[in-house]
Amino acid sequence: MISIDLCYNKENNVVFKESEVQKMSTIKQFNRTAIKKNHPLLSSIKSIIETAFYGNNVVPISLVSDAYHLARKSPSVIVTDLPVEGALALDLPEDAKILVHNDGAIVGRTAAARRVIGQPGVDEKKYSALLREAIFEGAKKHFYRGDVVVGLNENFMVAAHLLVPIGYEANFYAYLLNFQPFNAIYQQRYQQSQPYNENDLYVYCDPDWRHPDYPLGLTLFDPTRNVAAILGLRYFGELKKATLTLAWATAHRNGYLACHGGVKQFQLANKTYTMATYGLSGSGKSTITLASHGQKYHVTVLHDDAFIIDQETGATTALEPTYFDKTQDYPMDSEQVKYLLTCQNVGVTLDENHQKVLVTEDIRNNNGRAMKSRFATPNRVDHLTQSLDAVYWIMKDESLPPVIRIDDPILAAVFGATLATQRSSAENVADDVDLQALVIEPFANPFRCYPLAEDYLHFKQLFTKQKTTCYILNTGAFNGYNIPPNVTLEIIEKIIDETAVFTPFGPVKGLSYSPVPCYQPDFNSPVYRQQFITAMKRRLAFIQEMNTKNNGYDALPEETMVRIQQILLELTT
C-alpha cells in the first residue's frame, strides 16, 4: 500500500499527520485528536449528512440477498416469473426473479435540481439550514443503510454509503446491484487497495421530501467532502449519478481523468486496440461499446458508462460491475432479457403460459430501464493496463459526416469541450424543451463538479502525452440521411483493420474524414459551408459564454477560442 505522510489544508494552513486518521482506501474514521473545526475533510454539510447514518432509525443491510428479499416483498414491486441468470454468482438466492418497480410521472434524471457547494451562487449556510430541517423531518421514519465499493481495481476503490427510507426497497436493491457490495472478496480487496486522503462517500436520499422553493426536488453536493443529499426525487438514476459524481470528483483530485463513457478492447492478430466512446444517454455509446461485431473480433468490455483513466499510465478502471441500460431495444424475445436483474418504468403482461413477463421497448413510457448483469458481456474485465489507442466523441451534429479524424491535440480537446448532441428521454426536462435541439455538453459529462478547464487540459494531455488518436462519430443525421448503427460500426471496424481512408475535410486544417456513400460533405456548396460555419460559431459562442457565466467558473483557455476562430477564417477566405 502507498502511504501518505501528510494531509494539508491550504485554506487554513494546517497539516495533519497520517496517524491522525484511520484509513483503508478512503477515510471513514478519525482519531479524536484530528476531529477539529479546521480539518479539511470536515464541513457543515458533511457533518449533517454523515450524522444521519448513525440514527436509531437506521437499519443496516449488508447482503444483496437481504436487499432482494426486502424488495420482492415491497408493495410497489412486481415479481415476474423470469429467473435471474447466474443468481448464485451474484450473491442472490438461487430462485431469484427479475423484479419490476415503476415511478410516477418522472422517469428521468432532473438536472435542474442540482446544486454544488463551492460553485458560484451556492450558499453553504443556506443549504446547511435547509438540509438540517430535511433530515430532522426524515428522522421520523426508518431508513435502510447500504455500503458498497465504487471502483473495481485496487488502484482505485472508494467506499460509498447510502440511506434510503423504508418504502423504497426497489431503489435500495438496485443500488446494491449497480455498485459492488462489500462481500468477503471485496472486503479483502478493499483493505489491500491504494489509500487516498479522501472521505468515504455518503449519499442521503429522501424521495418524500417537499419544499415550495424546490418543486423539482433538490440534489445537493459537497464534492470535496464526498457527501450528497437527494431530496424529493424518486428516479433511481439520481442515486447512481450522485454516487458517480462524488467518485469521479475523487478520482479527478487524485490523478485520474473522470469519464462518462464506454471502453472496449479488440484483441487483434499482433496487437490490441483499445477505444473509448463519450456520449450522452441515447447517443449510441452503449450500442457501440457492447456491440459484438458479428463475432469478427475477440472483444473485451470494460464498461459502457463510467470509468477513469490513470493520467500517468493511461490504464482504465471501471467503477461499476453492472449496466443500467435502456430497455427500448430489448423486446421480450431478445437474448439480452435473460441478463436483466431488476427493471424500472417498464410494463408487465402475461405470456402464453400465464407467466408474468416484461413489456419493454418504451411502450409504457419513455426511458424504461433495467439493471443488467456483467454476464451480458462474456469477456468483461474491470481494469485494462493498456492505454487508449483512440477516443471517439459521439455527437448528433448534422454539420458533420459520420466520422472525422482530428490530428491536432488542441482541436481534439476543443471538440470534446464543445461536444454537440441532443437531449434524450433519460432526462426530466420542462415540457417546452425541444429534445431535437442541438445542445453542447462538454465531454458528454453533465456530472462534473469542478471547473471545465481542468477536464480540457487533462484531455489535451491525453492526446499529447499518451498519443491517443481522436475521432468524432456523428450518430444523428447528415445530408438528410439518418446514420444507422451499422454504418457507425462499419466505420469503426475499418479504422481497427487499418483499411479506412481519410481525406482532408475541405479547407479545415487538422481535420479529415472517411468518405461514406450518401454522407459526403461538399464545401463547394454554399449551403453546406454555411451550415458548418454556423455549427462552429455555436461552439465559439459557447466558449465565450463560459468565460462569463457563473463568474467564469467554467472558463476555458484562450487557445480554445483562437483555434475555432482559425477554422472560421479558413472557411471564409
Side-chain angles (χ1 to χ4, degrees):
M1 295 175 68
I2 299 174
S3 63
I4 302 173
D5 294 326
L6 297 175
C7 310
Y8 181 55
N9 180 355
K10 294 180 180 178
E11 181 179 351
N12 294 301
N13 227 16
V14 176
V15 176
F16 293 92
K17 294 180 180 179
E18 176 68 12
S19 60
E20 290 180 332
V21 294
Q22 301 294 321
K23 303 187 66 173
M24 278 185 275
S25 180
T26 45
I27 297 170
K28 182 180 179 181
Q29 300 167 263
F30 296 84
N31 284 353
R32 292 185 182 184
T33 57
I35 305 173
K36 300 186 187 310
K37 184 176 182 179
N38 55 0
H39 195 294
L41 297 183
L42 300 178
S43 73
S44 174
I45 300 288
K46 197 263 185 181
S47 182
I48 294 166
I49 290 176
E50 184 191 358
T51 300
F53 281 74
Y54 308 122
N56 288 335
N57 63 329
V58 173
V59 181
I61 305 294
S62 59
L63 300 178
V64 68
S65 56
D66 289 343
Y68 169 79
H69 286 301
L70 288 170
R72 75 182 302 273
K73 295 176 182 178
S74 176
S76 64
V77 166
I78 300 165
V79 182
T80 73
D81 293 306
L82 302 170
V84 170
E85 182 82 4
L88 288 178
L90 298 168
D91 294 330
L92 291 172
E94 187 174 9
D95 61 350
K97 298 295 192 294
I98 296 173
L99 305 183
V100 172
H101 169 74
N102 292 322
D103 297 313
I106 307 302
V107 293
R109 200 175 39 79
T110 305
R114 186 180 176 94
R115 304 289 189 277
V116 179
I117 301 298
Q119 293 188 354
V122 181
D123 185 341
E124 182 172 1
K125 289 185 177 180
K126 168 187 171 181
Y127 284 105
S128 291
L130 186 147
L131 187 57
R132 290 196 303 272
E133 187 67 21
I135 290 179
F136 172 80
E137 291 297 328
K140 299 174 183 178
K141 54 192 173 187
H142 284 82
F143 282 71
Y144 299 115
R145 170 181 173 152
D147 308 300
V148 297
V149 179
V150 185
L152 303 178
N153 183 269
E154 282 78 0
N155 71 327
F156 186 84
M157 288 181 166
V158 298
H161 314 286
L162 173 72
L163 280 189
V164 171
I166 288 178
Y168 294 91
E169 291 81 5
N171 275 355
F172 183 77
Y173 172 54
Y175 190 86
L176 296 192
L177 291 174
N178 187 87
F179 297 105
Q180 176 60 53
F182 272 102
N183 59 24
I185 293 174
Y186 271 86
Q187 285 181 19
Q188 182 177 6
R189 291 187 64 183
Y190 179 72
Q191 290 171 1
Q192 297 171 349
S193 65
Q194 178 172 327
Y196 292 99
N197 185 44
E198 301 277 358
N199 286 317
D200 282 8
L201 280 53
Y202 293 88
V203 179
Y204 176 90
C205 174
D206 186 356
D208 300 323
W209 179 84
R210 296 292 181 270
H211 194 288
D213 294 341
Y214 301 92
L216 297 178
L218 174 66
T219 57
L220 180 65
F221 297 86
D222 183 350
T224 59
R225 277 77 174 206
N226 279 342
V227 293
I230 313 301
L231 304 174
L233 295 155
R234 295 189 289 255
Y235 178 58
F236 169 75
E238 304 287 1
L239 301 180
K240 169 185 164 73
K241 294 305 187 186
T243 305
L244 288 175
T245 292
L246 299 177
W248 274 322
T250 300
H252 171 78
R253 291 191 294 269
N254 288 277
Y256 292 92
L257 191 50
C259 300
H260 180 220
V263 174
K264 66 195 302 185
Q265 185 179 82
F266 296 80
Q267 311 290 330
L268 306 176
N270 55 0
K271 65 175 184 177
T272 60
Y273 182 88
T274 309
M275 60 174 284
T277 58
Y278 296 78
L280 288 185
S281 178
S283 66
K285 168 170 52 75
S286 294
T287 299
I288 294 169
T289 304
L290 302 179
S292 65
H293 301 273
Q295 313 303 323
K296 290 169 57 178
Y297 311 93
H298 178 79
V299 178
T300 298
V301 172
L302 184 84
H303 203 262
D304 72 335
D305 187 62
F307 69 98
I308 57 175
I309 303 172
D310 188 314
Q311 292 185 56
E312 289 298 318
T313 67
T316 51
T317 300
L319 298 184
E320 308 164 293
T322 52
Y323 310 102
F324 187 49
D325 274 5
K326 286 174 169 285
T327 58
Q328 62 184 11
D329 297 324
Y330 300 156
M332 194 48 229
D333 58 357
S334 168
E335 178 71 12
Q336 293 297 308
V337 169
K338 75 176 183 179
Y339 299 112
L340 304 187
L341 303 173
T342 181
C343 298
Q344 296 155 21
N345 302 318
V346 303
V348 173
T349 190
L350 300 177
D351 70 2
E352 66 275 18
N353 298 314
H354 202 70
Q355 291 191 322
K356 294 190 290 294
V357 296
L358 304 173
V359 179
T360 54
E361 299 183 287
D362 284 0
I363 293 173
R364 180 184 184 271
N365 48 259
N366 288 329
N367 199 40
R369 290 277 178 165
M371 200 67 65
K372 190 167 69 173
S373 82
R374 62 186 297 133
F375 301 143
T377 46
N379 298 314
R380 166 68 191 268
V381 296
D382 296 327
H383 182 73
L384 290 170
T385 58
Q386 297 86 353
S387 59
L388 293 176
D389 292 290
V391 159
Y392 292 78
W393 305 131
I394 304 177
M395 305 196 192
K396 291 193 174 183
D397 182 344
E398 293 193 21
S399 74
L400 301 174
V403 63
I404 284 181
R405 188 179 67 202
I406 311 174
D407 298 318
D408 174 1
I410 292 177
L411 195 53
V414 167
F415 269 102
T418 59
L419 190 146
T421 187
Q422 296 171 341
R423 298 295 182 198
S424 77
S425 60
E427 299 175 77
N428 172 36
V429 297
D431 292 338
D432 59 351
V433 172
D434 181 6
L435 292 179
Q436 300 303 311
L438 205 64
V439 296
I440 290 178
E441 191 61 74
F443 306 108
N445 188 358
F447 315 107
R448 183 185 307 97
C449 54
Y450 47 85
L452 173 58
E454 295 178 13
D455 267 355
Y456 170 81
L457 293 172
H458 290 164
F459 272 106
K460 188 175 79 166
Q461 181 183 18
L462 183 71
F463 299 127
T464 53
K465 181 179 178 180
Q466 301 291 346
K467 306 299 183 184
T468 303
T469 306
C470 184
Y471 300 91
I472 298 173
L473 295 174
N474 178 15
T475 59
F478 184 75
N479 279 349
Y481 295 95
N482 289 330
I483 304 173
N486 65 293
V487 170
T488 302
L489 293 174
E490 184 178 343
I491 288 168
I492 293 172
E493 290 171 8
K494 287 182 178 180
I495 291 172
I496 293 166
D497 295 338
E498 299 182 352
T499 60
V501 176
F502 284 85
T503 61
F505 187 59
V508 183
K509 296 176 183 178
L511 299 184
S512 56
Y513 77 101
S514 185
V516 178
C518 300
Y519 304 102
Q520 295 275 37
D522 181 9
F523 280 95
N524 292 320
S525 165
V527 174
Y528 175 70
R529 182 179 285 258
Q530 186 57 49
Q531 183 184 26
F532 186 72
I533 288 173
T534 299
M536 296 308 298
K537 286 183 175 180
R538 184 184 297 114
R539 289 180 164 86
L540 180 60
F542 173 81
I543 294 172
Q544 292 170 334
E545 180 187 8
M546 292 300 101
N547 286 339
T548 57
K549 186 177 181 180
N550 289 333
N551 298 324
Y553 181 84
D554 284 319
L556 287 163
E558 186 178 359
E559 67 185 18
T560 59
M561 281 198 303
V562 170
R563 193 63 188 88
I564 292 183
Q565 288 167 341
Q566 288 173 345
I567 290 176
L568 291 172
L569 186 62
E570 291 164 356
L571 291 166
T572 54
T573 57

